[in-house]
Amino acid sequence: MKLLVTGGAGFIGSNYVHHHLENHPDDQIVVLDKMTYAGRLENLEGLPEDRCSMVEADICDRETARQTVEGCDTIVNFAAESHVDRSIEAPGEFITTDVFGTYVLLEAARDAGIRHLQISTDEVYGSIEKGSFTESSPIDPSSPYSASKAGGDMIVSAFNHTYGADSLIVRASNNYGPNQHPEKLIPLVVLNALHGDPIPVYGNGLQVRNWLFVRDFCSAIDVVLEKGEAGQVYNVGGPDEKTNIEVVKTILEMAGQDESLITHVEDRLGHDLRYSLGSEKTKGLGWEAQVSFEEGIERTVNWYRDNPEWWGALRSGEYREYYEKQYGTKLG
Ligand code: NAD
Ligand code: TYD
């Protein structure tokens, strides 16, 4: 098989490229990535050059999408603007990439007669106080990010329903692990803890997320790619639900820091209280998460501790500006 992996230089996409090539020695991958602030060539280091190539391009560029799809057997689309806080500040790019870009890829896949697997999120279901969402739960997104992802999902379903396209969706809960940009909670807390910097906790910190180690998500994607049915949605939730404050305290302890670094700051606008996903349908295909939160968070903290060259450059560039704008006044 030859896969086109869009957004493959980002956090989950790059973990997936490594995972898939390690587990499918005969397969090849073409990564197509715009290399936004979130795309990192470092994430693709160490891959076999004869089995992995890279095209720097925008998924919204129809002609490049059409050309790049040629000779590929399937598209796995990770490309997206992915951070809720940035979507609150500037939603436009989210709608362009996550909705229109998805449509461009779907058309390229339909013309080539190949499968399109859309990587989506539990956030399209909105917040849930008790119980868990299933694949038949209604879509009710709250943020510009989740609304854009929901828009992308709706087009994926429409292409299947209307044209019989071989398109399907996986919706994952919050991922964590190596290569994640420090704008997201877990790497932000790890890096701030390692530097002894204050940890910004939005509101009371009692929001709940369903944490999934990224390599477990990668194995679910391969199972769905192989056994999933066109037109279907597959949820992939992590084994553990934690409040944000629990996550922060665990990381502080592992980093040898005390809780005085915790700084409660103004809450996120429209903040979803709890996400929770039921994954029975995906488990029915033979997938099961292997990594508990305790194990995954230890692996993650150790990875950031051992790879300062990965985050060193990040902390001084665009992220520094973003961080100042996002947290400067909040942290005082
Ligand atoms: P990320 O921000 O780390 O990576 C996104 C990648 O897409 C980057 O490499 C970026 O350069 C690329 N990209 C952005 N716009 C593009 C465009 N127009 N054309 C081509 N490439 C473009 O994101 P991530 O956390 O790895 O998330 C990957 C996917 O998984 C996204 O679709 C996201 O919605 C979904 N998802 C993420 C999580 C999570 O916890 N991170 C959970 C569920 C679903
Ligand atoms: P995040 O990693 O942005 O993922 P998502 O919003 O997609 O779930 O945030 C995870 C949770 O952590 C969310 O409830 C918001 C909270 N959070 C903080 O309290 N402080 C922070 O600095 C960040 C980035 C997130």
Side-chain angles (χ1 to χ4, degrees):
M1 280 236 297
K2 188 171 175 187
L3 282 73
L4 174 58
V5 176
T6 50
F11 162 49
I12 307 178
S14 63
N15 275 282
Y16 177 73
V17 173
H18 284 277
H19 173 91
H20 188 88
L21 290 178
E22 280 161 27
N23 290 285
H24 298 82
D26 297 327
D27 283 5
Q28 296 195 337
I29 288 184
V30 179
V31 170
L32 184 150
D33 200 294
K34 187 180 172 183
M35 303 306 285
T36 67
Y37 76 91
R40 310 276 318 274
L41 283 179
E42 293 89 328
N43 292 347
L44 298 171
E45 272 170 14
L47 290 164
E49 276 174 30
D50 55 333
R51 296 172 56 215
C52 186
S53 57
M54 165 85 191
V55 177
E56 187 172 337
D58 189 332
I59 57 165
C60 300
D61 173 351
R62 278 198 166 105
E63 191 46 35
T64 308
R66 201 183 54 76
Q67 283 170 10
T68 316
V69 151
E70 264 174 40
C72 291
D73 304 294
T74 197
I75 298 179
V76 187
N77 178 30
F78 295 92
E81 288 293 332
S82 69
H83 190 36
V84 174
D85 291 326
R86 292 190 194 244
S87 83
I88 292 169
E89 288 305 313
E93 208 52 41
F94 287 73
I95 294 157
T96 306
T97 290
D98 302 10
V99 185
F100 183 75
T102 298
Y103 152 71
V104 169
L105 293 176
L106 281 164
E107 248 191 4
R110 183 163 74 102
D111 288 349
I114 65 170
R115 171 159 275 205
H116 173 112
L117 177 63
Q118 178 71 0
I119 306 300
S120 187
T121 167
D122 57 357
E123 303 192 26
V124 301
Y125 297 116
S127 189
I128 187 165
E129 252 177 65
K130 287 197 194 106
S132 302
F133 290 117
T134 70
E135 290 81 358
S136 50
S137 301
I139 299 290
D140 186 20
S142 338
S143 71
Y145 162 67
S146 52
S148 305
K149 292 297 292 183
D153 285 10
M154 295 291 94
I155 296 169
V156 173
S157 301
F159 263 60
N160 171 265
H161 188 81
T162 309
Y163 308 116
D166 184 6
S167 54
L168 63 170
I169 300 168
V170 283
R171 295 190 177 133
S173 60
N174 282 66
N175 276 231
Y176 68 104
N179 296 359
Q180 189 168 30
H181 192 282
E183 67 191 358
K184 305 290 191 327
L185 178 73
I186 285 185
L188 185 149
V189 174
V190 172
L191 292 186
N192 283 22
L194 293 177
H195 289 85
D197 291 341
I199 312 285
V201 171
Y202 296 164
N204 59 15
L206 296 179
Q207 304 84 4
V208 175
R209 295 294 184 262
N210 183 185
W211 292 102
L212 173 65
F213 191 66
V214 64
R215 285 288 180 131
D216 274 337
F217 184 34
C218 294
S219 64
I221 293 169
D222 272 344
V223 168
V224 172
L225 207 50
E226 197 187 323
K227 300 185 188 161
E229 275 178 43
Q232 295 292 308
V233 175
Y234 296 90
N235 286 347
V236 184
D240 299 282
E241 290 188 18
K242 302 272 174 204
T243 61
N244 293 339
I245 201 79
E246 282 176 299
V247 170
V248 168
K249 287 181 179 173
T250 303
I251 296 171
L252 284 173
E253 198 183 329
M254 291 182 64
Q257 295 283 5
D258 72 69
E259 292 177 11
S260 60
L261 288 181
I262 295 174
T263 311
H264 289 273
V265 299
E266 192 187 319
D267 209 349
R268 175 186 278 174
L269 294 177
H271 200 165
D272 282 337
L273 182 60
R274 176 170 175 264
Y275 298 136
S276 181
L277 269 190
S279 313
E280 294 314 311
K281 189 171 167 184
T282 310
K283 287 180 182 168
L285 299 180
W287 172 81
E288 189 82 54
Q290 303 294 324
V291 181
S292 67
F293 185 74
E294 284 64 34
E295 183 191 338
I297 197 69
E298 195 178 337
R299 281 165 69 173
T300 304
V301 172
N302 288 341
W303 186 84
Y304 282 93
R305 209 197 305 262
D306 294 344
N307 288 279
E309 70 292 345
W310 187 89
W311 47 258
L314 262 188
R315 273 177 57 101
S316 56
E318 187 271 352
Y319 178 65
R320 174 57 47 201
E321 261 173 54
Y322 164 80
Y323 189 90
E324 286 304 324
K325 202 164 153 226
Q326 178 71 13
Y327 299 103
T329 50
K330 286 182 180 164
L331 288 171

